[in-house]
Structures are given as C-alpha cells and as structure tokens.
Amino acid sequence: MHIMEGFLPPMWALFWFVMSIPVVAYGLVQLNKLVKEKPETKSLLAVAGAFAFVLSALKLPSVTGSCSHPTGTGLGAICFGPAITSVLATVVLLYQALFLAHGGLTTLGANIFSMGIVGPVVAYVVFKACKKANIGLMPAVFLAAALGDWATYVTTSVQLAVAFPTALGGTFASFKIFATIFAVTQVPLAIAEGIVTALIVNYISQVRVDVLEQLKVIVSSKAVSTS
Amino acid sequence: MQFLEQFTLKNKLNGVSGKLKTLFAVLTLLVCSFSTTFIVPLLVFCIMLAFTVVVAGIPPRFYAKLMLAPAGFGLVSFVLMLFFFGKEPFFSIHAGGLTLTATKDGFDMALISVGRMLGSVSCLLFLALTTPMADIFTVLKKLKLPDVFIDLSMLIYRFIVVMVEEALRMEYAQKMRLGYSDVKGSFRALSLLAGNLFVRSWDSADKMLTAMNSRGYDGIIHVLDDESPIPRLHLLGLAGFELVLVSLNLILPR
C-alpha cells in the first residue's frame, strides 16, 4: 500500500523519515554483524530483496476484479526477522519508486514505516506465536503474511488520516474514510498474499527443505538430534 | 512488465551528467513538495513533462500510461477531500435523493495536495526515465551511505534484472500450458513460479558469491564512478531555476 509521491504534506513526510531511520539504522548494524560473521549471507539477502521486488511487480490473481500487487515483506520477516527486513524493504521501496513509479522519494519514509517496519514486525510476531501454538507451517505462514498486510494497511490509513484530518470529525473521521476505501482492495489482497506466501513456503519445504532450515524457519531434524 | 529503467540508456539526455539530472529532479521535487500554492506544482509538472517527453524523447504514450495511476488516485482523493474533509459549504449536488455538499476548505486542501502529488510524480518520472541506476549509485555514495547498504543495493539491482527475465520466461511457459486459466489455477501457477524462482536464485546467489570471492571480493563492489564535475553554467542555471520556483511560492497568494 504505497503512498503516492508528494501526497503527504512536507512536515509529515519528514516525520515518518525521522520515525523510520533509527529502525533501518539498527537493521543495518544487525546486517553488518551478520555479514561479518557469515559473508555468504549477503548474496542470499540480496536474492531475498530482489525476490520481494519481483513478487511485487507480478500481479496477484484478482479476487475482487481489481488487480493488486503483493508486498512480499511477510516472507522476508519470516526468513530474516524484522530488523534486517526493514533494510531490505528500504532498498526494494527505492527500486519500486524508480523502476515502477510505485510510491516515491518524499514518501519513502512513510512507506518504509508501514511496509518495512510495522508489517514485518506484526508478521514476525504472529509467525513466532503460531509456531509456539504448533498450528503447522502453512497456516502459520498464511496468518503471518495476511495479518502483516493488514497491519500495513491500517498504518497507511493512520498516516493519511493524521496528515489530512477532516474539519469536523478530525483525525478519526478521516481514518474511517481512508480505511473504508482501502478495505475494498486490501482485505482480499491480504488473503491472496497470505495464500500465495503459504504456497511458496510449502513448495520450498518440499523441494529444498535445507534452505528453510538454514534460515531457521523450521527446525531441522538433524540439528535437533546433534545438539 | 515494463521497467522505466530501460529508457535511461537510450534517451536524448543520455550525455548529460547523471549528477546534474539527479540534482535537478530531487531539488525540484523538494521545492514542489514544500509548495504552499498549487501553481508552482502545476508549473513543475509542465516543465518536467516537457523535459521528459520533448527534450529526452520518452514516447508520450508510455508517459501517459505511467501518469494514469497517479491521475486516478488524484481524482479519487480530490473528490473525497472536496466532499468530506471541509466544513464551509461551497456548492451542493442533488442526485437521486442524496445531497452532497462540497466544501470550500476541502477544495483548497484537495487542490494543493493533488497538485503537489502530480508535480512530484513528474519529478520522480523524470529521474526514473532519464537517469541510469549507475549514476544514482554514484550519488548515493557521495551521500556517504554505509557501504553495506550500497553494496546490497547493487546486488539486489543485479538480481532483479536476472530474476525478472526468468520470471517472465516461466510465466510464458505456464501460460502456454493453461496456467492462470482460472482463479485456483492462478494461485497454483503463481506460487509454483515464485517458489521455483526463489530456489533457483538461491542457488545462483551461492554460485555468484563463490565466483566473486575467488576474484577478491572484499564486501565492496568497486566501480569507476563518473568523476567529471558538473559544468558551472548548468549549476548556475539550476540554481536560478529553483530560486524562481521558491520566490514564486513566496509571492503567490496561499
């Protein structure tokens, strides 16, 4: 759910940059540490970032008739955790602006906050909770991706609402308007993205389970027996 | 799937310094988004449109298609703000028993935010359609962003190009075999494509890193940057242009 280039008033655009930069900086520190420890992870992270971009450039099967694009950040959060995902999302959002004209440079901060921080954090927490609850890999991935998407969409609505409060009802009335409009496309989109993400993880677990074990998405049988 | 980037190497502004183009687009974008009147963004839009389509020679049809999404978004926002966001009555529409009242302050809000959005989008499109990624990397390096970030961006850029090609090939192959023929099939086909793409790129990333390591990769991809300075005359012209925009903002009524 990108906010279009230049749509936010400058002060709000700045505000969301200030909110996002510390998290991305923290992600960069984590990334630096990870790359120093295991240099081979860098190219894998790059693949994950490119994958999120390519996914977002593909069209999801339409459910309501409107064509929509998946965000792909749920998968990143499940694989790498929210801190590093925020860095990947920053790069991906920059490319989405420059290659596809989705989002923009002035709204980059706001978009990083909704799609690169809030969405992944929710997806990550939901995934961890589902793993604890032992509801199986596919449902866990579905819930993580779908709820992450919804969190993103609510965040975007809040961002627009605080920037454009209505004269009579204020921020809350404005939030209701934006949220209702977005719900038409975002609620089905989140379900579709959840299904696709779950199917992708399922496919990877069938053909290359070692990749998921390496990322600690699923606990490998070997690792348990040796440790 | 058409990327804006494919035009950056074959437009008529190709010989112009990438740093200058980036500076021009980003400064104008900033002035445009700080504008307090809708006239400056409108002016920016016209100038950027002229630079992109006339000077750089981007096909007008392609440009129009790109503007379609922002225009649609702008229209929806405009209507929403006009009717629901203000309180001073402006005019009313009676349609089938329903009365919609447009508001004066809502109109002002809509005019400036939609105007700013269109002007900014035209700046973004100018940058995206005329400036190659390599030049933008040079600028990012000049901004002293961390090496690991720039390196990761370069790697992601490289993988995007490779993966998109592969994804399109797979999509054609699937369509030949009745993939995407109904909703259920679409979900299956898309996830097969994405899963396969992930696994294959994962392996190719491994191989690429081995190849890079054996050639002395130390965590930074060293590339020769364009070190030539921006001609002083161009810089002066740019500064003059931005000054005119800023002063227009100060003169014109809000």
Side-chain angles (χ1 to χ4, degrees), chain A residues 15-106:
Chain A
F15 174 77
W16 294 112
F17 268 108
V18 172
M19 295 294 283
S20 300
I21 285 171
V23 182
V24 177
Y26 175 73
L28 271 173
V29 172
Q30 294 280 311
L31 183 69
N32 242 333
K33 229 194 269 167
L34 186 72
V35 170
K36 284 239 167 70
E37 266 170 37
K38 293 189 266 176
E40 72 273 12
T41 46
K42 198 195 243 173
S43 60
L44 302 181
L45 281 169
V47 161
F51 186 71
F53 177 89
V54 175
L55 258 194
S56 74
L58 294 170
K59 276 181 198 138
L60 268 185
S62 73
V63 184
T64 48
S66 72
C67 84
S68 342
H69 308 276
T71 60
T73 46
L75 193 60
I78 292 168
C79 291
F80 303 106
I84 288 176
T85 303
S86 75
V87 180
L88 289 179
T90 305
V91 181
V92 170
L93 285 167
L94 186 65
Y95 285 141
Q96 284 175 336
L98 289 175
F99 292 173
L100 304 166
H102 290 171
L105 302 178
T106 55

Side-chain angles (χ1 to χ4, degrees), chain A residues 3 5 8 12-21 24 90 93 104-117 155 159:
Chain A
I3 298 179
E5 175 76 286
L8 286 181
W12 281 110
L14 206 66
F15 174 77
W16 294 112
F17 268 108
V18 172
M19 295 294 283
S20 300
I21 285 171
V24 177
T90 305
L93 285 167
L105 302 178
T106 55
T107 49
L108 194 61
N111 287 334
I112 292 171
F113 193 80
S114 68
M115 269 178 288
I117 297 174
T155 311
Q159 286 173 333

Side-chain angles (χ1 to χ4, degrees), chain B:
Chain B
M1 199 190 312
Q2 255 184 322
F3 282 165
L4 314 188
E5 216 237 348
Q6 62 187 0
F7 288 97
T8 55
L9 289 173
K10 46 181 185 188
N11 68 74
K12 291 185 211 151
L13 277 177
N14 213 357
V16 181
S17 150
K19 278 178 280 185
L20 179 68
K21 283 184 284 191
T22 314
L23 211 58
F24 172 57
V26 172
L27 280 182
T28 315
L29 175 64
L30 283 179
V31 173
C32 178
S33 54
F34 273 96
S35 290
T36 44
T37 136
F38 73 97
I39 298 169
V40 172
L42 211 65
L43 202 67
V44 168
F45 179 78
C46 297
I47 291 167
M48 283 297 175
L49 178 74
F51 265 107
T52 319
V53 176
V54 182
V55 181
I58 303 298
R61 262 171 175 274
F62 185 70
Y63 195 84
K65 250 202 231 157
L66 286 174
M67 277 320 275
L68 222 62
F73 177 78
L75 192 71
V76 172
S77 325
F78 197 93
V79 171
L80 272 180
M81 287 180 174
L82 180 61
F83 289 111
F84 299 111
F85 279 71
K87 58 181 173 188
E88 279 174 63
F90 191 22
F91 62 86
S92 298
I93 299 173
H94 304 275
L98 270 165
T99 309
L100 280 173
T101 309
T103 51
K104 187 85 191 66
D105 40 348
F107 178 74
D108 290 341
M109 186 198 227
L111 203 59
I112 188 146
S113 29
V114 173
R116 270 202 301 238
M117 190 264 298
L118 288 177
S120 307
V121 167
S122 69
C123 296
L124 176 69
L125 285 182
F126 171 81
L127 183 69
L129 289 164
T130 64
T131 315
M133 228 22 241
D135 289 343
I136 294 176
F137 284 133
T138 310
V139 176
L140 290 183
K141 260 187 239 168
K142 281 259 148 60
L143 290 175
K144 301 266 181 261
L145 287 176
D147 283 339
V148 67
F149 182 80
I150 292 174
D151 206 47
L152 193 70
S153 313
M154 285 183 174
L155 284 174
I156 289 180
Y157 174 56
R158 191 252 177 203
F159 279 121
I160 284 174
V161 177
V162 174
M163 284 167 87
V164 162
E165 232 167 70
E166 205 160 326
L168 285 181
R169 255 202 320 266
M170 285 195 238
E171 201 187 6
Y172 285 137
Q174 286 178 323
K175 280 185 179 159
M176 295 292 290
R177 292 162 180 79
L178 295 183
Y180 305 98
S181 45
D182 57 3
V183 171
K184 204 177 154 219
S186 301
F187 274 107
R188 208 179 103 81
L190 183 70
S191 48
L192 274 178
L193 187 159
N196 201 24
L197 190 68
F198 190 78
V199 170
R200 285 176 66 150
S201 323
W202 195 261
D203 288 338
S204 79
D206 251 355
K207 282 181 206 147
M208 192 192 73
L209 198 75
T210 313
M212 280 165 66
N213 280 338
S214 58
R215 286 160 182 81
Y217 178 57
D218 61 352
I220 302 167
I221 302 174
H222 298 277
V223 283
L224 279 177
D225 292 330
D226 174 22
E227 292 293 345
S228 57
I230 307 171
R232 200 162 284 169
L233 200 66
H234 287 173
L235 269 184
L236 273 176
L238 178 62
F241 172 70
E242 303 299 345
L243 268 180
V244 170
L245 286 186
V246 171
S247 45
L248 270 179
N249 251 323
L250 298 177
I251 299 165
L252 290 168
R254 308 203 159 185

Side-chain angles (χ1 to χ4, degrees), chain A residues 124-135:
Chain A
Y124 184 76
V125 170
V126 169
F127 185 68
K128 285 277 145 165
C130 288
K131 256 173 84 176
K132 273 236 172 85
N134 248 333
I135 60 166

